[in-house]
Amino acid sequence: MSTQSHSPTPSRSAGPRGPMAGMFGPPPAKSKDFKGSLKRLLNEVGEERKTLVLVLTLISSSVIVGAFGPKILGRATNDVFYGFLGKRLPADLSKAQAVAGLRAKGQEQMAAMLEKSSVVPGVGIDFSAVSRLLMLAIALYAISSLFMWVQGYLMAGVTQRTVFRLRRSAEEKIGRLPLSYFDTQSRGDLLSRVTNDIDNISNSLQQGLSQILNSLLTVISVLAMMVWISPVLALVSLIAIPLSALFSVRIAKRSQREFIAQWDWTGKLNGHVEEMHTGHSLIKVFGRRDRAIQDFGTLNDKLFESSFRAQFISGLIQPTTALISNLIYVAIAVLGGYRVATGTMTLGDVQAFIQYSRQFGMPLAQIAGLMNTVQSGVASAERLFQLLDAPEERPDSKDAVQLGRAHGEIVFENVSFQYTADQPLIEGFSLTAKSGETIAIVGPTGAGKTTLVNLIMRFYEIDSGRITLDGVDIRDFTRDDLRKQFGMVLQDYQMDMTLSSLMTMQRFQMVSDNF
Amino acid sequence: MLIAILKDYLRPYKRSVIFVLVLLLVQSIANLYLPTLNADLINNGVAKGNISYIWRIGAIMLGSSVLVMGSSVLLVFLSSKVSMAFGRDLRRSVFSAVESFSARELNQFGAPSLITRNTNDVQQVQMVLFMGLTMMLGAPITGIGALILAIKTNLKLSGLLLVAVPIMTILIWSLLRRIVPLFKVMQVKIDRINLVLREQISGVRVIRAFVKTAHEEERFADASSQLMATSLSVTRTFAIMFPSLMLILNLSSVAVIWFGGKLVDTGQMPIGNLTAFLAYIMQILSSVMMAVMMSLMIPRAAASADRIQEVLTIPSSVVETQSPQTPQESLGRLEFRDVEFRYPGAEHPVLAGVSFQAEPGKVTAIVGSTGSGKSTLLNLIPRFIDVTSGSVLIDGVDVREQALEVVWKQMGWVPQRSFLFGGTVGENLRYGDPDATDDDLWACLAVAQATDFIQELPNQLEALVSQGGTNFSGGQRQRLSIARAIVRNPKIYILDDSFSALDFATDARLRAALFEKTQAATVLIVAQRVSTILSADQIVVLDQGRVVGKGTHSELMGTCPTYKEIVLSQLSPEEAA
């Protein structure tokens, strides 16, 4: 056994670091392979293909049906408006006469508007026609909302089942990871991947998928309705898309950077807090309290600055898109008003158009906002996939030797092992422990006493040589069979490593005794 | 609690908050002005065919849009500044509060919970504040403004609101009443997943050694499917919310056109007001919607505020005296005088009637079985906890009458769990004395028998130490933590079972070098290993919190059966003699 003095302790994870220690690794910031991870995540969701297709159909129908609403309301407004005008005209006049009369008075624009309308002089609002239109609108809105609800209901199932599956595979994965994985990864981080990251994925899926689709379809169908009503005004509104997109994307990119900084400083602050709380009494007794508070203050200020910038910059998206949509609104009102006045457009159409243009701005802003959610979700998915892809323990050999009750002779043959590359801990170690023999292993701190037990239990795999139990290489048994042989009482592994290595020495005797 | 915290911590930003409110008002008025202008445009421009009027109103509309944009940007700027500064101040207070905690309060909360409170919980409150400043407060202002305008536009038609608003409120309210408790259940289920998983990860060796992986998977699957069931109910309930709200909004506009049309027909309302009214009613209903939806965030933030307030208000059980006394001489003489310590409400004291003195230049060892109160006794000296009766004195003055910093300055503390801080070896050692030179550090490392392995490190004193010191073995950590205490050059050394991870030879060498170095200091040692304390000048034997023997090794072997028992459990009679 080599007496390498600087060796990592085998049960590193059992040190005095708090359970939260690793939670502050790099947070899901920017993903390395956005497309790849997104695709893989969508594949996971894709297992529910049939339901998804139904969801998609429902969303599309709901959006399309809903899009007709304002148009129909606009028609109803027209009817009201014409009735209003008609009532003010004397009933004995024909529409042509009324137009001519207006022209004679020099009210050319009024005349033009009247000429294009379906006003019948002397006839007021046709409420039966209005009510038919309104009933239609109610029906459309009701159907749209109903579809939306069913869609949301189904999507909740898809999301939650997907997340459940992800959680299960993550947990099963943990059961197959080699122990060395737990030594190098912080516990808090691992835990965070299975809980926080999966939670985040769940949120992104639930909100992201159906809402992005919804918003996108809304933009398209609203745009279609706008073109139908008035291609000229639609063109004006169309300017809003690239304009909003351009600003939103620019701002989002900039704020993403600040958000990363914010999570980075949050992580650093968390790390400091965790360390200072864990070493609470030491900090006091070594008179470092002021220094700790001071260091905290520095990190806290950095966090403040970055989170302020992140909030402010990302907060700019809303006023910017709002300004654009307000500008469009004004343009439509002015242009529309002008066109109604000149008789090229009806009032109801302008009103419908205005309503559409309001609906138009919202999904655009929503898509911009959702991009953040999706990015964060994909980043989390990536962290989860990293865990799922981590190399596993070598699977038990299929034709494993059946192990009943072992006779109990353990032989180490020229065993070499190292926890960390280039830091050999055990080199060319040989030992025979016969059944009924007591063997005490002594050695200075860090010499590898605990390691021997870890190797017999196959918590770690040896690098060379072999260990046999009753003459059979322990790698030829299944791990479960092998471990069942050692009714080993692994006492509180939370306790300080140093104590446990002492105990291990005694335990090793115990183990050998049992054989 | 939420209100109290907001009130206290927003005080320095009062002006900005008032300014934010003014901006919100400006914004709401400008936003409400747009539909009015639109109505004006239709009534006086379109209906009368007045094109120059249309252009004029258009320009005003443009101006107010720009005003809205300007005030929004300023609003976001101020609100993010105020709310993030609020978060920063709150975090600072929480951290400072925890730093003045005694060990008892720290254990009461537990370090992980304190971390969550300082980061996560503060974040919750901070976000609600931000949302509140930017949106929540704006919603009622716009809502009320729109209501006034709607009533002004047409009183009769406004009656529609008496139907729509209650329906909407009742709907949201009843959904929230279902969802909020579900949220709490969900939090519990998530906690459960966390618990099972944490046990699995930290107990991975035990689980594998006992071949319990399948059992654990079952436990997890159970917790996981329970969480899924609750999340499903939550998200499904939520799925009703948005479509039904949209339905109410849309039905309201249908109603406006129907009833508004009647009013227009009978000449009770100008036609242009119909469009304006539609805009108002949309604004009112979305304000109601926003206000109620936002109120969903409040219960969660309120829970967080409670958790923060707990940390801020719990009185420290160790309070520093206002009028500290300074001992006449500073030698490091330590005395326990009839000391009792019991946890609040506990039946039996942990320590009772403990009296002994530890003199400068002498080594005092404390022995006793596990749970005999050894560590508790040590914790009383730097006032990590305070005695419940009796007193601990340094140089004749009760530690509770002295300034804490003065007490701590004299102390070289080596804890049972050797904890190193993230940084370099040198930085860790300089915890003892920030001004120590490298030579000083090497000298102390030599005493602590740590020269060898530090010299082997590529960067020696600059070598990096991971948080907690996990990149060093247990014995190395112990030696570094002893070196750290030596660097302090203290009057009193307190070594809490600090040689346990060392092999016997290193232990002996270290003790010899250390006692050489500490000739003038008071040394207090707790040890499990009898060989460590055989040569102590005084040995205090503790049993169930009481002193059952005091004296040197040879005296105690004759007079104290508890001591004899402990010694003979580890040494042969020949060695013990």
Side-chain angles (χ1 to χ4, degrees):
Chain A
M1 206 182 298
S2 85
T3 45
Q4 187 80 12
S5 65
H6 178 69
S7 66
T9 52
S11 54
R12 229 203 285 238
S13 56
R17 28 190 342 177
M20 302 280 288
M23 220 124 147
F24 317 112
K30 203 154 204 166
S31 42
K32 284 169 208 136
D33 178 18
F34 183 84
K35 268 190 197 159
S37 304
L38 178 65
K39 220 170 144 187
R40 193 161 157 194
L41 182 59
L42 288 179
N43 268 342
E44 294 286 342
V45 187
E47 287 192 25
E48 310 254 352
R49 203 155 289 139
K50 273 185 199 156
T51 324
L52 272 180
V53 170
L54 192 58
V55 166
L56 291 186
T57 324
L58 284 169
I59 294 180
S60 321
S61 338
S62 160
V63 169
I64 292 166
V65 170
F68 280 98
K71 170 78 187 159
I72 288 167
L73 285 189
R75 267 206 219 158
T77 314
N78 274 342
D79 283 356
V80 172
F81 186 51
Y82 296 146
F84 169 72
L85 285 180
K87 208 174 179 184
R88 294 199 328 189
L89 295 170
D92 47 0
L93 230 60
S94 74
K95 193 170 114 185
Q97 281 170 320
V99 171
L102 280 171
R103 286 228 164 91
K105 284 187 209 160
Q107 292 185 341
E108 178 56 38
Q109 283 157 354
M110 269 302 260
M113 184 178 81
L114 192 59
E115 199 172 16
K116 290 274 166 69
S117 73
S118 57
V119 171
V120 182
V123 175
I125 301 171
D126 177 2
F127 277 103
S128 71
V130 172
S131 85
R132 274 198 304 277
L133 282 172
L134 292 184
M135 289 316 255
L136 182 61
I138 290 176
L140 289 181
Y141 281 138
I143 290 173
S144 167
S145 279
L146 179 70
F147 282 2
M148 223 29 155
W149 173 46
V150 175
Q151 172 277 126
Y153 187 91
L154 291 175
M155 196 60 201
V158 172
T159 311
Q160 294 309 323
R161 279 191 299 269
T162 305
V163 165
F164 177 77
R165 281 197 302 273
L166 285 177
R167 237 182 351 240
R168 189 180 52 202
S169 39
E171 192 265 350
E172 285 170 358
K173 178 73 185 190
I174 286 176
R176 291 192 305 268
L177 286 169
L179 271 172
S180 55
Y181 187 89
F182 298 95
D183 294 340
T184 51
Q185 294 286 317
S186 82
R187 261 188 288 176
D189 188 57
L190 191 56
L191 203 59
S192 191
R193 282 171 205 247
V194 187
T195 54
N196 295 341
D197 282 313
I198 289 190
D199 225 34
N200 194 22
I201 294 172
S202 152
N203 284 338
S204 321
L205 284 182
Q206 183 71 36
Q207 293 182 5
L209 273 186
S210 51
Q211 274 194 36
I212 282 190
L213 207 66
N214 188 356
S215 304
L216 220 61
L217 283 169
T218 308
V219 170
I220 293 171
S221 58
V222 165
L223 200 63
M225 295 307 284
M226 286 169 140
V227 172
W228 185 26
I229 296 174
S230 162
V232 181
L233 286 189
L235 204 64
V236 176
S237 310
L238 211 56
I239 300 171
I241 297 186
L243 221 56
S244 304
L246 188 76
F247 281 110
S248 306
V249 167
R250 279 227 160 156
I251 297 174
K253 257 191 189 160
R254 183 82 181 75
S255 69
Q256 177 87 2
R257 238 184 11 238
E258 299 297 339
F259 271 122
I260 292 173
Q262 182 194 331
W263 289 117
D264 206 35
W265 286 113
T266 307
K268 286 187 180 131
L269 187 82
N270 278 340
H272 180 71
V273 172
E274 123 92 5
E275 185 166 31
M276 292 304 119
H277 287 0
T278 317
H280 189 69
S281 46
L282 279 173
I283 295 287
K284 281 185 160 181
V285 84
F286 279 101
R288 281 299 187 107
R289 203 162 68 172
D290 293 340
R291 174 71 188 277
I293 292 177
Q294 196 186 327
D295 288 350
F296 179 85
T298 315
L299 290 169
N300 199 15
D301 283 343
K302 292 278 188 201
L303 173 58
F304 159 69
E305 281 161 29
S306 57
S307 58
F308 159 64
R309 272 201 298 270
Q311 290 302 341
F312 173 55
I313 294 172
S314 65
L316 286 179
I317 293 184
Q318 200 273 327
T320 315
T321 45
L323 177 69
I324 293 172
S325 80
N326 270 344
L327 288 182
I328 301 293
Y329 177 76
V330 172
I332 288 168
V334 172
L335 266 173
Y338 184 79
R339 287 171 71 86
V340 173
T342 53
T344 37
M345 208 173 155
T346 63
L347 179 65
D349 276 352
V350 174
Q351 185 227 316
F353 209 96
I354 287 172
Q355 245 181 320
Y356 281 125
S357 82
R358 294 235 129 177
Q359 279 192 7
F360 192 65
M362 213 163 62
L364 281 185
Q366 252 171 13
I367 292 176
L370 284 171
M371 284 321 282
N372 259 349
T373 315
V374 170
Q375 263 185 336
S376 159
V378 171
S380 279
E382 192 162 275
R383 277 165 57 78
L384 177 67
F385 293 145
Q386 271 169 11
L387 167 65
L388 293 180
D389 294 343
E392 295 181 8
E393 274 188 331
R394 192 189 317 166
D396 288 322
S397 61
K398 284 211 180 74
D399 36 80
V401 179
Q402 286 289 316
L403 184 60
R405 173 115 188 105
H407 179 59
E409 187 182 78
I410 293 188
V411 180
F412 282 74
E413 285 173 30
N414 204 22
V415 167
S416 296
F417 174 73
Q418 56 193 28
Y419 286 111
T420 330
D422 306 325
Q423 285 190 350
L425 182 64
I426 295 174
E427 280 174 311
F429 176 73
S430 297
L431 172 84
T432 304
K434 290 217 175 68
S435 179
E437 253 180 18
T438 299
I439 300 208
I441 311 262
V442 277
T445 328
K449 298 178 298 268
T450 316
T451 307
L452 288 183
V453 178
N454 282 337
L455 293 180
I456 296 178
M457 299 287 277
R458 279 189 71 197
F459 284 156
Y460 297 85
E461 300 288 350
I462 53 177
D463 297 323
S464 68
R466 64 186 207 131
I467 304 171
T468 59
L469 172 62
D470 292 346
V472 180
D473 192 318
I474 55 171
R475 283 171 294 200
D476 292 340
F477 301 118
T478 66
R479 284 186 184 75
D480 286 358
D481 268 0
L482 177 71
R483 287 171 188 164
K484 272 182 192 149
Q485 292 301 315
F486 306 85
M488 176 168 146
V489 185
L490 278 181
Q491 295 202 354
D492 185 6
Y493 251 83
Q494 300 272 23
M495 93 185 124
D496 204 284
M497 162 51 213
T498 50
L499 271 177
S500 71
S501 69
L502 254 175
M503 316 273 309
T504 307
M505 208 173 85
Q506 293 155 2
R507 239 184 275 127
F508 191 66
Q509 294 174 17
M510 247 171 48
V511 171
S512 313
D513 270 336
N514 287 345
F515 282 105
Chain B
M1 287 301 149
L2 183 61
I3 307 246
I5 285 186
L6 287 174
K7 223 168 105 189
D8 284 355
Y9 285 83
L10 280 179
R11 197 161 294 142
Y13 309 104
K14 214 192 232 161
R15 270 194 210 166
S16 305
V17 173
I18 291 172
F19 196 33
V20 162
L21 289 177
V22 172
L23 283 172
L24 279 171
L25 198 65
V26 170
Q27 212 180 32
S28 307
I29 292 173
N31 262 332
L32 289 173
Y33 195 38
L34 278 176
T36 318
L37 284 171
N38 198 31
D40 197 22
L41 189 92
I42 291 173
N43 284 337
N44 299 318
V46 180
K48 292 182 181 157
N50 186 343
I51 290 179
S52 71
Y53 194 82
I54 292 178
W55 281 115
R56 207 167 61 241
I57 298 290
I60 298 174
M61 287 170 93
L62 203 67
S64 39
S65 304
V66 174
L67 186 70
V68 169
M69 157 84 174
S71 62
S72 303
V73 170
L74 204 55
L75 181 75
V76 170
F77 180 85
L78 283 175
S79 336
S80 41
K81 190 136 207 170
V82 167
S83 37
M84 298 304 132
F86 162 88
R88 176 195 58 193
D89 299 350
L90 197 52
R91 281 193 298 268
R92 194 167 45 208
S93 296
V94 171
F95 188 75
S96 301
V98 175
E99 283 305 295
S100 63
F101 274 5
S102 74
R104 189 202 289 171
E105 287 92 51
L106 193 82
N107 289 335
Q108 186 184 326
F109 288 109
S113 169
L114 286 171
I115 297 164
T116 322
R117 285 167 204 244
N118 198 351
T119 52
N120 231 317
D121 286 320
V122 173
Q123 172 87 1
Q124 293 289 343
V125 180
Q126 175 182 286
M127 279 325 284
V128 163
L129 175 63
F130 180 68
M131 302 287 256
L133 289 178
T134 49
M135 289 191 266
M136 250 187 277
L137 287 175
I141 295 179
T142 315
I144 292 168
L147 188 64
I148 293 170
L149 286 172
I151 291 172
K152 237 178 81 185
T153 309
N154 195 292
L155 185 63
K156 275 193 188 161
L157 208 47
S158 307
L160 276 177
L161 288 168
L162 289 178
V163 183
V165 171
I167 291 181
M168 194 170 228
T169 316
I170 289 169
L171 174 80
I172 300 178
W173 189 246
S174 54
L175 285 180
L176 287 191
R177 259 191 51 185
R178 220 176 102 75
I179 290 176
V180 170
L182 276 176
F183 262 136
K184 283 195 187 131
V185 176
M186 199 158 101
Q187 222 53 41
V188 175
K189 301 272 157 84
I190 291 176
D191 272 356
R192 169 95 191 135
I193 293 255
N194 257 320
L195 177 87
V196 174
L197 208 60
R198 178 164 275 154
E199 279 175 12
Q200 256 185 52
I201 295 171
S202 50
V204 61
R205 282 175 172 76
V206 180
I207 290 167
R208 293 197 185 173
F210 282 103
V211 196
K212 291 282 185 204
T213 311
H215 172 73
E216 286 299 316
E217 269 171 18
E218 231 166 79
R219 271 181 79 204
F220 183 86
D222 182 47
S224 180
S225 53
Q226 278 188 33
L227 174 63
M228 177 172 71
T230 313
S231 314
L232 257 182
S233 330
V234 170
T235 38
R236 282 186 176 161
T237 314
F238 254 121
I240 306 176
M241 180 106 80
F242 186 65
S244 44
L245 287 178
M246 283 313 289
L247 191 63
I248 294 176
L249 273 181
N250 289 327
L251 290 185
S252 304
S253 29
V254 169
V256 166
I257 290 180
W258 178 249
F259 295 108
K262 298 245 162 173
L263 289 174
V264 169
D265 190 42
T266 52
Q268 295 179 62
M269 190 171 85
I271 181 82
N273 287 9
L274 197 60
T275 324
F277 202 90
L278 267 181
Y280 294 144
I281 204 165
M282 287 290 154
Q283 216 130 28
I284 294 168
L285 294 182
S286 30
S287 299
V288 174
M289 205 161 103
M290 180 82 99
V292 187
M293 296 274 261
M294 287 291 161
S295 61
L296 184 67
M297 283 181 76
I298 291 178
R300 212 178 154 191
S304 288
D306 286 351
R307 284 158 56 91
I308 295 166
Q309 193 76 345
E310 262 174 34
V311 177
L312 291 178
T313 51
I314 193 172
S316 181
S317 54
V318 173
V319 183
E320 186 159 11
T321 173
Q322 291 300 315
S323 46
Q325 293 178 28
T326 320
Q328 285 175 346
E329 41 177 15
S330 173
L331 300 171
R333 176 175 291 113
L334 196 64
E335 186 185 348
F336 278 69
R337 207 179 274 168
D338 200 21
V339 164
E340 187 211 71
F341 177 79
R342 69 168 77 215
Y343 286 103
E347 204 174 318
H348 299 289
V350 183
L351 294 171
V354 174
S355 295
F356 68 90
Q357 294 186 3
E359 298 293 327
K362 299 251 169 75
V363 176
T364 302
I366 298 170
V367 291
S369 55
T370 329
S372 57
K374 302 186 297 283
S375 288
T376 308
L377 188 145
L378 294 189
N379 282 331
L380 293 170
I381 306 169
R383 296 191 66 201
F384 292 157
I385 45 177
D386 271 346
V387 294
T388 39
S389 80
S391 51
V392 178
L393 303 98
I394 295 179
D395 295 322
V397 179
D398 192 318
V399 284
R400 287 170 297 177
E401 302 298 324
Q402 300 189 34
L404 279 172
E405 294 291 338
V406 174
V407 172
W408 293 336
K409 217 176 169 79
Q410 316 180 43
M411 219 159 282
W413 181 270
V414 186
Q416 194 170 20
R417 281 186 164 194
S418 17
F419 183 82
L420 301 179
F421 293 91
T424 65
V425 171
E427 278 168 17
N428 264 288
L429 295 179
R430 287 201 175 88
Y431 263 74
D433 175 8
D435 302 322
T437 64
D438 280 4
D439 289 342
D440 294 341
L441 299 188
W442 282 114
C444 296
L445 283 171
V447 175
Q449 309 300 311
T451 317
D452 293 354
F453 70 87
I454 296 297
Q455 266 174 352
E456 274 174 31
L457 297 176
N459 297 318
Q460 305 201 338
L461 287 178
E462 299 307 312
L464 290 180
V465 179
S466 70
Q467 204 178 326
T470 45
N471 57 337
F472 289 91
S473 81
Q476 291 169 342
R477 278 209 298 275
Q478 268 187 352
R479 280 175 277 173
L480 284 175
S481 115
I482 291 169
R484 179 172 60 193
I486 301 172
V487 172
R488 197 154 178 78
N489 198 17
K491 297 256 164 32
I492 305 170
Y493 279 90
I494 298 175
L495 301 136
D496 189 356
D497 202 14
S498 309
F499 309 107
S500 57
L502 308 178
D503 56 87
F504 287 83
T506 313
D507 180 2
R509 275 203 310 276
L510 199 158
R511 270 183 292 128
L514 182 65
F515 296 153
E516 181 80 17
K517 166 95 185 163
T518 61
Q519 270 172 5
T522 308
V523 179
L524 205 56
I525 291 183
V526 161
Q528 299 275 356
R529 211 185 272 170
V530 173
S531 61
T532 311
I533 53 146
L534 287 180
S535 60
D537 299 297
Q538 178 186 215
I539 298 168
V540 177
V541 188
L542 278 184
D543 189 27
Q544 295 184 349
R546 289 172 190 279
V547 177
V548 293
K550 237 184 318 192
T552 61
H553 170 70
S554 49
E555 288 166 11
L556 287 171
M557 283 303 283
T559 58
C560 180
T562 313
Y563 181 72
K564 197 170 173 184
E565 196 183 314
I566 294 172
V567 171
L568 292 180
S569 72
Q570 294 183 30
L571 303 177
S572 65
E574 297 78 42
E575 288 171 309

